[in-house]
Amino acid sequence: MIFNIYDFTSFTQWIDNLLYSNLSPFWALIVEMTLIGLVFLLGYALVGLFLVYLERKVCALMQNRIGPNRVGPFGLFQTIADLIKLLLKELISIKHSDKLLFNIAPFIVIIASFLCIAAIPFAKGLHAMDFNIGVFYVMAVSSMGVVGILIAGWSSNNKYSLIGAMRSGAQIVSYELSVGLSLITMVVLAGSMQFSTIVEAQSDGWFIFKGHISSVIAFVIFMIASTAETNRGPFDLAEAESELTAGFHTEYSGIKFAFFFLAEYMNMFIVAAIAATVFWGGWMPLHIGGLEGFNNAMDFIPPFIWFFGKTFVIIFLMMWFKWTFPRLRIDQLLTLEWKYLLPINLINVLIMAFLVLMGWHF
Amino acid sequence: MVEEIQKTIDTEEEYTINMGPQHPSTHGVLRFVVSLKGELVKNVQPHCGYIHRGIEKMCEKITYPQIIHLTDRMDYLSAHINNAAVCLTVENALEIEMPERVKYIRTIIEELSRIASHQLWWCAFGMDLGGLTCFFYGLRDREKILDIFEESTGGRLIQSYNCPGGLMNDIHPNFQQKVKDFIKYFRKVLPEYDQLLTGNVIFQERAKKVGYISKEEAINFGLTGPSGRGSGFACDVRKRAPYHMYGKVDFKEVLYTEGDTLARYKVRIDEMWESMKIIEQLIDNIPAGDYAVKMKPIIKLPEGEYFQRVESARGEFDVFIISDGNKNPYRIKFRSPNLVNLTAINAMSKDHKIADLVAISGSLDLVIPCMDR
Amino acid sequence: MNIIGYITDIFKGVISLLKGMKVTGSYFFRPWTVVTQKYPENRKKLEMYERMKGEIVMPHNAKNEHKCTGCGICELNCPNGSIEIITFQLVSEDGKKKRAIDKHIYRIGMCTFCGLCVKTCPSKALSFAPNFEHAVFSRERLTKILNKEGSVLEKGVEG
Ligand code: SF4
Ligand code: SF4
């Protein structure tokens, strides 16, 4: 059987072979890329819409509310209704704004998050590209989004937007460091930057257990820093609706606003997916060395369920942060990064290197 | 043209932004013109008057019982307290002694309004600082008080429950039980407020040493209410010039001396505890009797000047009436604690960040309609 | 920098954050604590407090009789002119002339629900009703005539 929910390698291989045997290599590549693009576009929209819905439901329950309940059963189609509303809304163009940059900004933001998905392994053999420097690629690409935010803030010719964009710039430049370093800690443990290798290495235990103390610290730092990087939760200074009305996207309306909105949620998904992959074993089922029966039972659950399960648990965690904590001030934000996260992180890398050298990990 | 205007507003050093009249953190139509240097606030100019309705002038044309419902519309969060202030002024002018029952009920409802107002302030303050969940918890608990109000007075936000000479109608038979239930419930829930916000490091860091104002300055600016008491200015009218039952119940005047946003915050949280204490002392012994004394159909104050101070949820609310013997006042003046508290905002927020300005204006608990009247 | 202070700071901070998360989390996992209601669906079940100041009504009894004598005191007491009384002269069988109400006009759009009309009416002809769905499509519909068509003054009520 070609299609196997436990292992997609043969399935993707089969499509690949099919295309290459029937078409010239050039066209096969084009068709393949288009296919992947379409699949991702669809997945992107679906996941994005679902996350918006999820966020609303989660925050509603935390706040003793019902949440969306009008459109569709349990309000499931609420976000689709919202999307239609956003599509139909007028795109306001502003005098004295830099038209070109103003229009480009949302695309940069959304492309940056779109590029990231390429590297994420959803299940065994189910990824667009298995870079040998996957971790590095994701870090590099995800930080492109800030360019879009900066452009958006600058080009709208609005002081609130500008303040928001500048805050976001300072924030992402600082927190990028922590995200990178906490991932590097795990790369030290895995000995590879390739996502497939990282996942394979966790077949006898997820890294969060394997690297114990060091991994847990790295995970906590990664969660904090990546929440900050996605401009979410207590770190949403760039939008800070009670201070800057809506920050960098104050002047955006309609579908352009929807792009920012969707990108925010997709970034959250990507960050959670990376956390799940690097710390919690990605699509790898929960294995405990020595317990064969247990391992086999866990293997029975398909990998993509493991992957999405872990991702959504982490997303839930991020939502939980957002709906509990008050927002930080810009100087606190920088203090947190430079005085706390960065030193701890550097020491943590050292500890991890030491652990790996001495073989004190599991 | 635009560039020229821009040049006069934004210099090399500073630039100006408008916060409000439509801005999420001004809680109404207040406008701050803020001069900024980077993120640092250099100067704040409040502009008010966006919902000026001329209430004082309107009052000169209507009779005393009719004035009551206009005072509702000033500080809508302590509507009952405002009503009581006008009623007290009229009653004192006519030298009518209220039945004990009226005093008890007024005091209880006043304290309930104070709790409700502080709850709303708490949730709005949490939201100003970005903790959106606070907003719903505060409103959820406030709803319980509003239900109590609605059952007895018919109004939720604005009750118009007082009238010169007593109350509009008697309390509902369920009133006492419901208030007791609420106190029991709220004693359980209030610690949650602390866990969610007060103890939170982020909140602590954002509130500590922000918007400092010394006791001297607080007195000079005339800060009253929790905002003044956060700087150590003992200004609680309930203690200084007791009215209703306040002279007879046992409660503490909450004082903090730090003078920062956190102190003002803590004053309000502690005041909720104190208010609950006051209500508990009174609720079981509401004496039987009339809920109002018979008044003449047309109330005329004797010629003269009358003054009454009360402690509203935001500070000292004063009513000053000059009567020329007619059925309507010659001049009526309300001292709004909000307007006076607002004056301190520039001194408080100098050299703080924009985010702090939001926190500071939140900690002053401004109600704009009271300011503009 | 004091290392121990630094570390205790971190731990204290984290604990305070966890406390907050406990509160929100505990509500999340107790969905029955939800307090909001699905309004239009539960319309049938909604019970308003009987004193709720929804609108002013003039109760009529089964014989289509009300208590309003048309004295105009409510009109006088209304602070914002929401009430307008139109009366006419009613000639009774024994030839006595009596004032009677023609129209008791009530403009809910102007009413501030102060309750003075209800309180001051000498014959207790008015009362509050707990209706709250007042949305209408045109402004004219906000002006209501409180006495029903063909209604007369209840026997025994003196004006
Ligand atoms: S409603 Fe009452 S006060 Fe008004 S006119 Fe009729 S009887 Fe008089
Ligand atoms: S409730 Fe007050 S405002 Fe409304 S009609 Fe009666 S007197 Fe007038």
Side-chain angles (χ1 to χ4, degrees), chain C residues 56 77-80 82-83 106 110-117 128:
Chain C
I56 303 279
N77 266 295
C78 180
N80 41 34
S82 316
I83 293 178
Y106 166 56
M110 285 159 71
C111 177
T112 50
F113 305 104
C114 65
L116 286 176
C117 52
F128 277 113

Side-chain angles (χ1 to χ4, degrees), chain B residues 55-112:
Chain B
I55 285 186
E56 283 177 11
K57 196 74 193 163
M58 262 148 84
C59 290
E60 291 169 16
K61 287 280 170 296
I62 55 181
T63 63
Y64 290 106
Q66 290 174 343
I67 289 176
I68 306 294
H69 90 288
L70 281 180
T71 60
D72 270 344
R73 270 104 189 139
M74 294 179 10
D75 187 348
Y76 48 79
L77 291 181
S78 40
H80 186 87
I81 306 178
N82 297 355
N83 293 348
V86 178
C87 291
L88 271 174
T89 325
V90 173
E91 285 152 14
N92 288 349
L94 295 173
E95 288 165 3
I96 304 171
E97 179 64 23
M98 280 299 107
E100 284 289 290
R101 186 177 176 81
V102 175
K103 287 189 188 169
Y104 269 76
I105 296 172
R106 276 187 185 170
T107 314
I108 292 170
I109 296 199
E110 258 166 54
E111 289 311 306
L112 281 177

Side-chain angles (χ1 to χ4, degrees), chain C residues 58 67-74 85 101 104 121-123 125-126:
Chain C
M58 185 182 284
K67 290 188 195 150
C68 175
T69 56
C71 64
I73 290 179
C74 53
I85 308 285
I101 189 95
H104 187 296
C121 174
S123 49
L126 298 177

Side-chain angles (χ1 to χ4, degrees), chain B residues 150-162:
Chain B
E150 190 183 352
E151 192 167 36
S152 275
T153 71
R156 293 170 73 78
L157 184 66
I158 43 181
Q159 296 99 25
S160 300
Y161 189 44
N162 286 325

Side-chain angles (χ1 to χ4, degrees), chain C residues 56-125:
Chain C
I56 303 279
V57 291
M58 185 182 284
H60 287 57
N61 66 7
K63 284 184 278 174
N64 203 13
E65 290 171 342
H66 57 74
K67 290 188 195 150
C68 175
T69 56
C71 64
I73 290 179
C74 53
E75 184 179 0
L76 219 66
N77 266 295
C78 180
N80 41 34
S82 316
I83 293 178
E84 199 181 325
I85 308 285
I86 299 175
T87 54
F88 68 102
Q89 293 294 325
L90 188 79
V91 186
S92 57
E93 298 101 57
D94 45 353
K96 261 200 260 169
K97 275 189 183 166
K98 227 175 122 200
R99 186 187 53 208
I101 189 95
D102 180 22
K103 275 178 189 159
H104 187 296
I105 299 170
Y106 166 56
R107 300 185 184 88
I108 192 173
M110 285 159 71
C111 177
T112 50
F113 305 104
C114 65
L116 286 176
C117 52
V118 178
K119 182 169 174 262
T120 51
C121 174
S123 49
K124 301 272 165 279

